[in-house]
Amino acid sequence: MKNIAFVMETKQYYHEFQPLCQFTDRGRFGYEALLRSLTGINPNDLFQLAMEQNFLFELDTWSMSHALSSFFLSSAAEEEGLLFVNLFPSTITADAFPKFVKDLRKRFACAIHRVVIEINETISEESVWYNPVFLQRIKELRKEGFHIALDDVGEGTATLRKIVEVSPDFIKIDCFFAKQLSQSKKKQQVVRLLVDYCRQTESILILEGIERQEDFECAAQLGVTIGQGFYLGRPHRLD
């Protein structure tokens, strides 16, 4: 078993960035930061190991800090797009989180308004969503200038209740719905419902996992305006 603390100490990690694009002209809307390990450990396994070794907060906050540093010091930062970074609910409710945010605010004061925090979901953290501290911290993050996104809607623990309670700035539909979307009336109906919801609120809908032109075109016809997936751009390191 890999020791996560050792992986971090020896800097066996880096970030790749996957573009999010507008449907109208496929122009860049932003990038999602994706943590990678030189050890070859799958990202999901890396965070699972961090949970098991009681090192999730350290890995999660380090990843966010490193992602911001990598992105805003790269040429991609000049595009004025948004940066999407992932955090677990337990990281947000941790006692040390406010200090972490304060430190980020000092380092990236001029760029915080371009950062979108994607809330990661795992079954093991389901109870954290109902912790009053969680919703309070979300409010505080917004006051600091951060945007909030719910990730993998339709696949993880994100329910309609969470969408209503969190009122995210962005709703990211799980890649399951993008796969063969053009051939599935049921998937199209779900996407259409979320498009209608977002039109009546201040949320922006993002469809993840777009890999084929026909699914891209179908999503556009349904009213989706922002997408992410191999068809629009693969994850890569920034210059």
Side-chain angles (χ1 to χ4, degrees):
M1 178 183 293
K2 294 288 185 179
N3 183 287
I4 298 303
F6 178 77
V7 171
M8 292 179 62
E9 290 170 3
T10 54
K11 299 185 178 180
Q12 299 182 51
Y13 46 70
Y14 62 96
H15 278 88
E16 290 187 335
F17 296 82
Q18 184 171 28
L20 289 83
C21 298
Q22 302 177 66
F23 275 41
T24 51
D25 58 2
R26 293 181 62 172
R28 293 284 186 270
F29 181 77
Y31 290 86
E32 179 179 357
L34 302 168
L35 183 63
R36 300 289 188 253
S37 171
L38 295 173
T39 63
I41 302 176
N42 177 283
N44 291 333
D45 293 338
L46 190 67
F47 282 101
Q48 181 60 41
L49 285 173
M51 287 183 185
E52 294 171 1
Q53 297 173 21
N54 296 316
F55 213 76
L56 180 59
F57 177 83
E58 289 78 7
L59 178 62
D60 214 14
T61 52
W62 174 88
S63 179
M64 180 175 179
S65 179
H66 185 269
L68 266 63
S69 296
S70 300
F71 182 78
F72 290 114
L73 292 177
S74 73
S75 58
E78 300 174 2
E79 299 178 14
E80 294 299 324
L82 299 175
L83 174 64
F84 289 70
V85 295
N86 294 274
L87 284 180
F88 285 86
S90 62
T91 296
I92 295 173
T93 58
D95 291 340
F97 187 67
K99 182 182 183 303
F100 168 71
V101 172
K102 184 177 180 180
D103 292 341
L104 279 186
R105 196 76 177 80
K106 291 179 180 178
R107 295 171 55 200
F108 303 100
C110 297
I112 291 299
H113 67 287
R114 294 175 58 189
V115 178
V116 182
I117 295 177
E118 290 192 28
I119 303 177
N120 270 333
E121 303 172 284
T122 61
I123 294 176
S124 62
E125 296 209 329
E126 171 70 9
S127 62
V128 181
W129 289 81
Y130 303 103
N131 183 339
V133 175
F134 177 71
L135 290 178
Q136 180 58 38
R137 293 278 171 82
I138 294 297
K139 292 179 181 178
E140 293 169 359
L141 286 168
R142 283 200 166 107
K143 288 181 180 179
E144 291 288 347
F146 292 96
H147 304 286
I148 303 297
L150 288 189
D151 194 19
D152 296 333
V153 169
E155 192 277 337
T157 60
T159 62
L160 294 177
R161 172 178 172 176
K162 293 185 177 70
I163 292 175
V164 171
E165 290 182 336
V166 176
S167 297
D169 303 290
F170 298 92
I171 294 176
K172 300 189 74 176
I173 313 176
D174 182 68
C175 59
F176 166 82
F177 292 94
K179 186 176 182 180
Q180 299 183 332
L181 174 64
S182 61
Q183 301 174 32
S184 173
K185 297 298 182 182
K186 291 181 179 180
K187 290 182 180 180
Q188 291 172 26
Q189 184 61 26
V190 172
V191 172
R192 188 179 290 110
L193 286 170
L194 287 171
V195 167
D196 290 341
Y197 174 82
C198 289
R199 282 175 176 168
Q200 297 178 52
T201 64
E202 296 182 355
S203 298
I204 296 176
L205 194 66
I206 299 172
L207 180 60
E208 299 181 286
I210 302 173
E211 297 186 357
R212 304 189 309 168
Q213 180 177 349
E214 52 265 45
D215 296 326
F216 170 83
E217 293 174 349
C218 180
Q221 292 175 358
L222 293 172
V224 179
T225 58
I226 307 294
Q228 182 178 354
F230 288 173
Y231 177 72
L232 298 169
R234 291 177 176 270
H236 60 277
R237 301 182 78 162
L238 298 177
D239 298 327

